[in-house]
Amino acid sequence: MANLVVHFEIHATEPQRLVDFYGDLLGWRFTQFGDMPYWTIDTGEGAIGNVDGQPGMGINGGLTQRDGPAPAIGAPVNGCNLVIGVDGSIDDVMRRAVELGATEMLPAEDMQGVGRVGYLIDPDGNGFGLISPVLSDGTSAMTG
């Protein structure tokens, strides 16, 4: 196995708030791990067991109780940043995220040869990105 990222974790001051947010926004499924303040995250079909890093397959993660205060809005990133691939319009997903309590960090923009990328802050202060190969004009960055 290569040195692939195979799991991610999101820290939450109010775990249920983020369970609801990511579940509503992205359709992720959460399962509490026993009585612990820890939830496994199933991000969708094909993610489980992708230890070989097959293209087009994602990874699953966990959500855990934060030890300390949530990051302040506008504070620099402390740790790693999660970027989530979405199908279709980044702009639609970002609008929905804001309706669900997120804050726009960086507006969506086209990046030639990459796709359309935007960044948000979830309702608990965690920054995350969204990326799609679909550009603002509806064409795909992956087809030239």
Side-chain angles (χ1 to χ4, degrees):
M1 171 169 58
N3 298 318
L4 301 173
V5 176
V6 296
H7 184 80
F8 67 89
E9 289 183 337
I10 300 171
H11 290 248
T13 306
E14 299 176 50
Q16 189 60 52
R17 188 172 181 197
L18 291 190
V19 165
D20 295 341
F21 174 77
Y22 287 106
D24 288 346
L25 181 64
L26 301 171
W28 290 354
R29 294 178 303 279
F30 293 78
T31 304
Q32 189 164 0
F33 193 72
D35 292 333
M36 297 171 47
Y38 191 91
W39 292 256
T40 58
I41 304 172
D42 180 351
T43 63
E45 189 71 30
I48 295 173
N50 188 25
V51 295
D52 293 329
Q54 297 173 13
M57 308 282 259
I59 62 172
N60 289 319
L63 185 132
T64 188
Q65 181 72 48
R66 185 188 310 279
D67 292 329
I73 299 297
V77 174
N78 182 9
C80 294
N81 189 37
L82 182 66
V83 179
I84 303 157
V86 299
D87 294 325
S89 170
I90 290 287
D91 301 274
D92 290 347
V93 177
M94 289 185 72
R95 271 191 293 279
R96 178 68 178 139
V98 170
E99 290 171 5
L100 293 169
T103 303
E104 186 178 272
M105 184 187 326
L106 293 173
E109 67 176 288
D110 290 348
M111 297 179 69
Q112 293 304 319
V114 175
R116 191 154 175 82
V117 180
Y119 287 84
L120 296 157
I121 300 170
D122 75 19
D124 202 20
N126 300 299
F128 68 98
L130 299 171
I131 187 169
S132 172
V134 179
L135 298 170
S136 58
D137 66 2
T139 62
S140 175
M142 301 302 155
T143 59

